[in-house]
mmCIF file of all heavy atoms in Angstrom:
data_model
loop_
_atom_site.group_PDB
_atom_site.id
_atom_site.type_symbol
_atom_site.label_atom_id
_atom_site.label_comp_id
_atom_site.label_asym_id
_atom_site.label_seq_id
_atom_site.Cartn_x
_atom_site.Cartn_y
_atom_site.Cartn_z
ATOM 1 N N SER A 73 8.668 14.917 -6.469
ATOM 2 C CA SER A 73 8.339 13.922 -5.455
ATOM 3 C C SER A 73 8.472 14.428 -4.023
ATOM 4 O O SER A 73 7.794 13.930 -3.146
ATOM 5 C CB SER A 73 9.221 12.685 -5.638
ATOM 6 O OG SER A 73 10.582 13.028 -5.537
ATOM 7 N N ASN A 74 9.314 15.418 -3.776
ATOM 8 C CA ASN A 74 9.548 15.849 -2.402
ATOM 9 C C ASN A 74 8.700 17.055 -2.019
ATOM 10 O O ASN A 74 8.346 17.887 -2.856
ATOM 11 C CB ASN A 74 11.027 16.203 -2.216
ATOM 12 C CG ASN A 74 11.916 14.985 -2.254
ATOM 13 O OD1 ASN A 74 11.992 14.235 -1.307
ATOM 14 N ND2 ASN A 74 12.571 14.763 -3.387
ATOM 15 N N PHE A 75 8.405 17.132 -0.731
ATOM 16 C CA PHE A 75 7.686 18.269 -0.164
ATOM 17 C C PHE A 75 8.389 18.583 1.150
ATOM 18 O O PHE A 75 8.532 17.704 1.997
ATOM 19 C CB PHE A 75 6.221 17.886 0.048
ATOM 20 C CG PHE A 75 5.356 18.953 0.659
ATOM 21 C CD1 PHE A 75 5.314 20.234 0.129
ATOM 22 C CD2 PHE A 75 4.555 18.663 1.747
ATOM 23 C CE1 PHE A 75 4.505 21.214 0.678
ATOM 24 C CE2 PHE A 75 3.738 19.629 2.313
ATOM 25 C CZ PHE A 75 3.710 20.903 1.784
ATOM 26 N N THR A 76 8.866 19.811 1.310
ATOM 27 C CA THR A 76 9.701 20.125 2.463
ATOM 28 C C THR A 76 9.098 21.223 3.331
ATOM 29 O O THR A 76 8.363 22.098 2.842
ATOM 30 C CB THR A 76 11.100 20.566 2.034
ATOM 31 O OG1 THR A 76 10.999 21.760 1.247
ATOM 32 C CG2 THR A 76 11.810 19.488 1.225
ATOM 33 N N LEU A 77 9.438 21.153 4.601
ATOM 34 C CA LEU A 77 9.098 22.200 5.565
ATOM 35 C C LEU A 77 10.412 22.747 6.104
ATOM 36 O O LEU A 77 11.213 21.992 6.643
ATOM 37 C CB LEU A 77 8.244 21.639 6.703
ATOM 38 C CG LEU A 77 7.943 22.605 7.860
ATOM 39 C CD1 LEU A 77 6.989 23.717 7.398
ATOM 40 C CD2 LEU A 77 7.328 21.857 9.039
ATOM 41 N N LYS A 78 10.619 24.042 5.947
ATOM 42 C CA LYS A 78 11.814 24.684 6.468
ATOM 43 C C LYS A 78 11.436 25.541 7.660
ATOM 44 O O LYS A 78 10.456 26.300 7.597
ATOM 45 C CB LYS A 78 12.478 25.548 5.394
ATOM 46 C CG LYS A 78 13.763 26.225 5.862
ATOM 47 C CD LYS A 78 14.275 27.254 4.859
ATOM 48 C CE LYS A 78 14.824 26.615 3.621
ATOM 49 N NZ LYS A 78 15.461 27.624 2.723
ATOM 50 N N ILE A 79 12.200 25.410 8.716
ATOM 51 C CA ILE A 79 12.000 26.247 9.897
ATOM 52 C C ILE A 79 13.290 27.025 10.103
ATOM 53 O O ILE A 79 14.353 26.439 10.348
ATOM 54 C CB ILE A 79 11.673 25.418 11.160
ATOM 55 C CG1 ILE A 79 10.541 24.427 10.884
ATOM 56 C CG2 ILE A 79 11.291 26.356 12.303
ATOM 57 C CD1 ILE A 79 10.231 23.493 12.049
ATOM 58 N N ARG A 80 13.188 28.330 9.982
ATOM 59 C CA ARG A 80 14.367 29.188 10.152
ATOM 60 C C ARG A 80 14.489 29.595 11.615
ATOM 61 O O ARG A 80 13.478 29.735 12.310
ATOM 62 C CB ARG A 80 14.233 30.445 9.297
ATOM 63 C CG ARG A 80 14.403 30.219 7.829
ATOM 64 C CD ARG A 80 14.233 31.542 7.070
ATOM 65 N NE ARG A 80 12.826 31.900 6.978
ATOM 66 C CZ ARG A 80 12.008 31.455 6.038
ATOM 67 N NH1 ARG A 80 12.449 30.629 5.102
ATOM 68 N NH2 ARG A 80 10.741 31.826 6.005
ATOM 69 N N SER A 81 15.718 29.769 12.058
ATOM 70 C CA SER A 81 15.981 30.302 13.391
ATOM 71 C C SER A 81 15.093 29.603 14.434
ATOM 72 O O SER A 81 14.225 30.224 15.068
ATOM 73 C CB SER A 81 15.716 31.817 13.401
ATOM 74 O OG SER A 81 16.156 32.383 14.615
ATOM 75 N N THR A 82 15.336 28.314 14.590
ATOM 76 C CA THR A 82 14.483 27.490 15.455
ATOM 77 C C THR A 82 14.509 27.967 16.902
ATOM 78 O O THR A 82 15.515 28.493 17.402
ATOM 79 C CB THR A 82 14.928 26.028 15.394
ATOM 80 O OG1 THR A 82 16.357 25.954 15.569
ATOM 81 C CG2 THR A 82 14.555 25.401 14.073
ATOM 82 N N LYS A 83 13.364 27.753 17.555
ATOM 83 C CA LYS A 83 13.198 28.112 18.966
ATOM 84 C C LYS A 83 12.934 26.836 19.749
ATOM 85 O O LYS A 83 12.525 25.815 19.184
ATOM 86 C CB LYS A 83 12.033 29.077 19.126
ATOM 87 C CG LYS A 83 12.142 30.334 18.272
ATOM 88 C CD LYS A 83 11.068 31.331 18.618
ATOM 89 C CE LYS A 83 9.716 30.955 18.094
ATOM 90 N NZ LYS A 83 9.502 31.448 16.731
ATOM 91 N N LEU A 84 13.125 26.914 21.058
ATOM 92 C CA LEU A 84 12.880 25.746 21.904
ATOM 93 C C LEU A 84 11.457 25.224 21.727
ATOM 94 O O LEU A 84 11.232 24.011 21.701
ATOM 95 C CB LEU A 84 13.129 26.085 23.375
ATOM 96 C CG LEU A 84 14.573 26.381 23.780
ATOM 97 C CD1 LEU A 84 14.643 26.804 25.246
ATOM 98 C CD2 LEU A 84 15.472 25.179 23.533
ATOM 99 N N GLU A 85 10.512 26.139 21.591
ATOM 100 C CA GLU A 85 9.108 25.741 21.498
ATOM 101 C C GLU A 85 8.746 25.126 20.151
ATOM 102 O O GLU A 85 7.605 24.700 19.953
ATOM 103 C CB GLU A 85 8.186 26.929 21.799
ATOM 104 C CG GLU A 85 8.447 28.152 20.970
ATOM 105 C CD GLU A 85 9.344 29.153 21.674
ATOM 106 O OE1 GLU A 85 10.296 28.727 22.374
ATOM 107 O OE2 GLU A 85 9.109 30.367 21.525
ATOM 108 N N ASP A 86 9.695 25.060 19.224
ATOM 109 C CA ASP A 86 9.455 24.349 17.963
ATOM 110 C C ASP A 86 9.628 22.842 18.124
ATOM 111 O O ASP A 86 9.321 22.075 17.200
ATOM 112 C CB ASP A 86 10.409 24.846 16.872
ATOM 113 C CG ASP A 86 10.155 26.295 16.483
ATOM 114 O OD1 ASP A 86 8.985 26.733 16.541
ATOM 115 O OD2 ASP A 86 11.129 26.995 16.148
ATOM 116 N N SER A 87 10.119 22.407 19.261
ATOM 117 C CA SER A 87 10.277 20.973 19.515
ATOM 118 C C SER A 87 8.915 20.303 19.475
ATOM 119 O O SER A 87 7.989 20.700 20.192
ATOM 120 C CB SER A 87 10.921 20.736 20.880
ATOM 121 O OG SER A 87 12.234 21.248 20.914
ATOM 122 N N ALA A 88 8.786 19.306 18.609
ATOM 123 C CA ALA A 88 7.492 18.639 18.403
ATOM 124 C C ALA A 88 7.686 17.507 17.413
ATOM 125 O O ALA A 88 8.753 17.354 16.821
ATOM 126 C CB ALA A 88 6.455 19.626 17.849
ATOM 127 N N MET A 89 6.633 16.729 17.217
ATOM 128 C CA MET A 89 6.560 15.802 16.088
ATOM 129 C C MET A 89 5.942 16.571 14.930
ATOM 130 O O MET A 89 4.918 17.231 15.096
ATOM 131 C CB MET A 89 5.679 14.609 16.422
ATOM 132 C CG MET A 89 6.291 13.582 17.344
ATOM 133 S SD MET A 89 7.680 12.710 16.616
ATOM 134 C CE MET A 89 6.871 11.796 15.306
ATOM 135 N N TYR A 90 6.545 16.470 13.771
ATOM 136 C CA TYR A 90 6.022 17.122 12.579
ATOM 137 C C TYR A 90 5.562 16.040 11.605
ATOM 138 O O TYR A 90 6.330 15.161 11.223
ATOM 139 C CB TYR A 90 7.073 18.022 11.935
ATOM 140 C CG TYR A 90 7.300 19.281 12.739
ATOM 141 C CD1 TYR A 90 8.132 19.274 13.858
ATOM 142 C CD2 TYR A 90 6.653 20.467 12.410
ATOM 143 C CE1 TYR A 90 8.318 20.415 14.625
ATOM 144 C CE2 TYR A 90 6.840 21.621 13.172
ATOM 145 C CZ TYR A 90 7.672 21.579 14.278
ATOM 146 O OH TYR A 90 7.847 22.717 15.033
#
Side-chain angles (χ1 to χ4, degrees):
Chain A
S73 59
N74 290 283
F75 179 52
T76 62
L77 174 69
K78 182 189 289 187
I79 310 175
R80 287 179 284 275
S81 189
T82 48
K83 305 188 285 272
L84 292 176
E85 54 264 38
D86 294 328
S87 296
M89 285 293 294
Y90 287 81

